[in-house]
């Protein structure tokens, strides 16, 4: 039975603590990528409970099941060999030079497909019908990490992205089983090379350390025996295969239990540990709410996920409806990730998504390129987003999106630095107004969603130069807003 915690009680609006535009914007920022003025107004009128119902009203289905047309263009790999045998068959009868050229051609096609997937997902996060589903997809992509830099098949990265979309709010037990069989994951953490004669411990280690339990809740012997249990788990193209002749059928001792365990058994034993529910609850809370998490609050959330038999929606609903979520200290306290910064700015300024190459250059410099997390730990987030090298790029990117000039390191289709390019005009055409105060208040509410310091407001009014009716004056003022430290937070 779940332990109660006062911060997990539902937030209920009162005359002294209303569900105002600030709270509505906060909900849309954290459960998505920010709201337009119309969306914020709509959510405020709905109230927190009805707004949550709207946000959670998405199908547990892949994008290609939701729409056959709203999917990335993977035509470049339409004839791409799906497995080693198919690749070898393609090479038959070719000279050494022809095989080399074919491999280069296949690599280029794969990069093109990865880039198409990144571009599609950025647009989906910005304009898609289910912002919470895409925010969860982004969270799990950074949790169950796989990188396109290490996976040579773009189709497997796309399939894994769809897996996150389909299962991100579903049952965590089923999710762990599925990700353990996912071909991209099997490649990334080398479980396809995990055989009884030479066990590979990579997946077993990260399964416990990063995916389910956290450091300190397992031993090195547990890793060794778990690795033996996952021997023979591999894939053939898009399909998981169990190679029984590579599997270790001897007895293993794992977390105090003894048996002829397979991978499924290891997952069940892990999920039976109290640390598992607590760990997953903590990861979700820190991503969506706050880095500061008291142990008793984490334990109470762990109870919720265990009592629901690892269904994720009950915990997610509790988090987004809670007093903890709407604490004044939480609102406007989270440093925007680079993806949140770009997607939110494009949405709030009502822009089209910028060109792929400049956008890729900016995201790379800011430290968060979709499908390219830095390592198996994913993106560290929080204060790690801000340093001396990324802060200028963050300001530069936001100002450029708001119609200013911007210089970016560009990358080619291989992801290699090619030089510095001037960002093209994004087409931002701001609305104007009758008085400087009204224009500033409107744009601050739209872009920051919280009050700013009087001195900062005075600077913005001065920046208008007494001409709130001029588009160019307002554009420069908006560029100042997106350069403010307040704009880096949501």
């Amino acid at each position: 039975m779940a332990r109660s915690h006062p911060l997990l009680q539902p937030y209920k609006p009162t005359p002294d603590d209303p569900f105002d535009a600030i709270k509505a914007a906060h909900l849309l920022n954290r459960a998505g990528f920010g709201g337009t003025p119309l969306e914020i107004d709509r959510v405020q009128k709905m109230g927190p409970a009805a707004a949550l119902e709207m946000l959670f009203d998405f199908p547990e289905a892949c994008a290609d099941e939701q729409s056959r047309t709203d999917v990335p263009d993977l035509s470049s790999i339409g004839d791409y060999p799906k497995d080693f045998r198919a690749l070898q068959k393609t090479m038959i009868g070719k000279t050494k030079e022809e095989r080399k050229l074919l491999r280069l051609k296949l690599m280029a096609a794969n990069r093109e497909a990865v880039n198409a997937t990144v571009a599609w997902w950025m647009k989906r996060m910005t304009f898609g019908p289910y912002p919470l589903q895409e925010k969860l997809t982004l969270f799990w992509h950074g949790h169950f990490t796989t990188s396109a830099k290490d996976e040579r098949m773009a189709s497997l990265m796309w399939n894994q992205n769809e897996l996150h979309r389909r299962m991100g709010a579903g049952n965590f037990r089923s999710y762990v089983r599925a990700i353990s069989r996912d071909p991209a994951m099997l490649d990334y953490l080398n479980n396809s090379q995990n055989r009884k004669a030479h066990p590979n411990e990579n997946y077993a280690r990260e399964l416990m350390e990063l995916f389910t339990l956290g450091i300190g809740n397992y031993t090195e012997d547990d890793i060794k025996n778990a690795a033996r249990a996952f021997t023979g788990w591999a894939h053939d193209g898009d399909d998981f295969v169990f190679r029984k002749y590579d599997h270790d059928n001897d007895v293993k001792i794992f977390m105090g239990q003894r048996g002829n365990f397979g991978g499924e058994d290891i997952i069940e034993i892990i999920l039976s540990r109290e640390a598992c529910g607590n760990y997953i609850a903590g990861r979700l809370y820190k991503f969506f709410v706050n880095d500061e998490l008291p142990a008793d609050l984490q334990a109470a959330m762990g109870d919720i996920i265990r009592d629901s038999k690892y269904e994720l929606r009950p915990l997610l609903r509790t988090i987004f409806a809670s007093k903890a979520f709407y604490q004044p200290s939480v609102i406007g306290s989270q440093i925007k990730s680079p993806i949140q910064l770009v997607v939110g700015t494009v949405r709030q300024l009502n822009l089209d998504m910028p060109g792929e190459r400049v956008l890729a250059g900016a995201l790379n410099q800011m430290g968060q390129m979709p499908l390219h997390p830095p390592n198996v730990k994913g993106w560290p987030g929080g204060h790690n987003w801000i340093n001396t090298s990324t802060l200028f790029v963050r300001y530069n990117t936001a100002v450029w999106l708001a119609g200013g000039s911007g210089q970016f390191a560009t990358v080619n289709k291989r992801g290699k630095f090619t030089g510095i390019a001037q960002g093209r005009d994004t087409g931002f055409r701001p609305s104007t107004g009758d008085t400087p105060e009204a224009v500033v208040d409107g744009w601050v509410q739209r872009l920051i969603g919280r009050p700013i310091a009087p001195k900062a407001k005075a600077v913005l009014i001065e920046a208008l130069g007494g001409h709130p009716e001029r588009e160019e004056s307002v554009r420069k003022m908006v560029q100042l807003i997106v350069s403010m430290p307040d704009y880096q937070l949501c």
Side-chain angles (χ1 to χ4, degrees):
M1 181 177 179
R3 284 164 277 197
S4 61
H5 194 285
L7 286 177
L8 292 180
Q9 296 300 310
Y11 157 73
K12 295 181 180 179
T14 67
D16 294 329
D17 187 20
F19 186 67
D20 54 15
I22 293 175
K23 289 187 177 67
H26 171 63
L27 177 60
L28 291 174
N29 277 323
R30 299 297 183 87
F33 300 91
T36 65
L38 287 176
E39 290 168 340
I40 292 170
D41 183 62
R42 178 189 176 198
V43 164
Q44 183 183 357
K45 290 176 179 176
M46 293 174 72
L52 267 188
E53 290 303 314
M54 176 193 70
L55 288 166
F56 274 95
D57 185 20
F58 59 84
E60 292 183 0
C62 300
D64 68 353
E65 294 176 26
Q66 299 174 29
S67 170
R68 292 293 181 184
T69 57
D70 185 15
V71 292
D73 179 9
L74 302 183
S75 58
S76 66
I77 56 171
D79 299 323
Y80 198 93
K82 292 286 180 110
D83 52 49
F84 181 75
R85 292 191 200 91
L87 178 61
Q88 291 298 98
K89 187 176 180 180
T90 306
M91 297 293 181
I92 293 175
K94 291 181 170 58
T95 65
K96 182 179 179 179
E97 186 62 27
E98 287 173 335
R99 290 196 296 270
K100 180 181 177 180
L101 290 174
L102 180 57
R103 287 193 179 94
L104 290 174
K105 181 180 177 180
L106 294 176
M107 288 170 62
N110 196 60
R111 286 193 298 269
E112 184 177 340
V114 168
N115 293 338
T117 304
V118 170
W120 171 85
W121 194 19
M122 287 295 293
K123 290 180 181 178
R124 175 87 174 188
M125 286 187 276
T126 307
F127 307 115
Y130 306 117
L132 179 54
Q133 186 176 44
E134 295 310 314
K135 194 67 171 283
L136 283 164
T137 302
L138 180 61
F139 166 77
W140 291 114
H141 172 45
H143 180 82
F144 292 124
T145 306
T146 303
S147 172
K149 292 179 181 178
D150 300 283
E151 174 49 63
R152 297 180 181 179
M153 294 186 65
S155 62
L156 299 188
M157 289 300 299
W158 163 240
N159 291 343
Q160 189 183 87
N161 187 261
E162 287 279 64
L163 173 64
H164 295 321
R165 187 167 291 106
R166 176 169 58 88
M167 305 197 74
N171 184 276
F172 185 69
R173 172 178 277 104
S174 300
Y175 200 173
V176 177
R177 290 171 176 168
I179 201 69
S180 298
R181 288 174 166 78
D182 177 71
M185 179 63 75
L186 290 165
D187 283 346
Y188 183 62
L189 290 178
N190 311 114
N191 209 82
S192 288
Q193 290 81 49
N194 187 12
R195 301 176 176 88
K196 62 182 178 182
H198 300 285
N200 187 300
E201 299 176 2
N202 285 0
Y203 184 69
R205 182 181 299 278
E206 307 309 347
L207 173 65
M208 288 179 273
E209 178 178 328
L210 299 175
F211 300 166
T212 59
L213 292 171
I215 295 173
N217 294 298
Y218 56 89
T219 67
E220 286 297 313
D221 282 341
D222 289 331
I223 293 172
K224 294 180 186 299
N225 282 279
R228 293 172 56 211
F230 279 103
T231 50
W233 287 43
H235 75 96
D236 186 4
D238 293 346
D239 301 318
F240 168 78
V241 295
F242 175 67
R243 294 174 176 151
K244 63 180 182 179
Y245 297 110
D246 288 330
H247 180 67
D248 185 338
N249 281 303
D250 291 338
V251 170
K252 298 106 183 166
I253 300 175
F254 181 73
M255 293 189 173
Q257 299 189 42
R258 181 184 179 89
N260 181 13
F261 298 136
E264 287 276 4
D265 302 307
I266 297 300
I267 292 170
E268 285 303 310
I269 294 171
I270 287 173
L271 267 67
S272 71
R273 313 288 284 194
E274 183 173 334
C276 181
N278 292 359
Y279 178 74
I280 296 304
R283 289 296 300 267
L284 287 164
Y285 184 90
K286 289 179 180 180
F287 182 85
F288 287 106
V289 186
N290 195 6
D291 281 337
E292 296 182 6
L293 176 57
D296 59 340
L297 178 57
Q298 183 171 4
M301 291 190 297
D303 285 346
I304 292 172
I305 198 170
R306 283 186 292 273
D307 286 354
S308 66
K309 302 186 186 304
Y310 279 97
E311 292 292 335
L312 292 167
R313 282 189 184 241
L315 175 62
L316 289 166
R317 285 178 177 272
T318 298
I319 289 173
F320 285 119
S322 68
K323 292 179 179 179
F325 182 74
Y326 288 106
Q327 291 177 98
S329 61
V330 167
I331 296 174
S333 67
Q334 187 179 75
I335 297 173
K336 295 176 182 176
S337 71
I339 290 174
Q340 182 93 22
L341 180 69
V342 170
V343 170
T345 303
V346 171
R347 285 178 53 76
Q348 290 169 320
L349 298 183
N350 192 30
L351 305 175
D352 293 329
M353 185 59 70
E356 294 176 22
R357 291 184 65 185
V358 173
L359 188 60
L363 288 169
N364 266 314
Q365 290 176 86
M366 290 188 287
Q368 191 182 32
M369 184 69 175
L371 306 189
H372 295 81
N375 52 54
V376 70
K377 294 182 179 180
W379 295 286
H383 291 283
N384 294 285
W385 291 131
I386 304 290
N387 57 52
T388 53
S389 62
T390 62
L391 188 58
F392 173 76
V393 184
R394 290 172 71 95
Y395 288 152
N396 196 28
T397 300
V399 168
W400 169 63
L401 289 170
S405 61
Q407 289 187 331
F408 300 93
T410 57
V411 294
N412 61 19
K413 291 184 178 181
R414 298 185 181 185
K416 301 296 185 182
F417 172 78
T418 57
I420 302 295
Q422 190 76 20
R424 295 181 179 179
D425 181 8
T426 59
F428 172 54
R429 303 293 179 263
S431 58
T432 58
D434 295 328
T435 68
E437 290 80 4
V439 169
V440 168
D441 287 343
W443 278 102
V444 167
Q445 175 61 36
R446 177 171 178 169
L447 294 173
I448 295 178
R450 306 175 305 279
I452 61 173
K455 287 184 178 180
K457 181 176 178 179
V459 170
L460 296 175
I461 291 175
E462 183 179 353
L464 285 171
H467 294 289
E469 78 287 355
R470 294 182 182 176
E471 187 178 282
E472 183 58 29
S473 297
V474 177
R475 185 182 294 110
K476 290 180 179 178
M477 185 271 298
V478 169
Q479 290 164 13
L480 282 178
I481 293 177
V482 299
S483 301
M484 295 170 61
D486 305 67
Y487 189 69
Q488 300 298 316
L489 303 172
C490 69

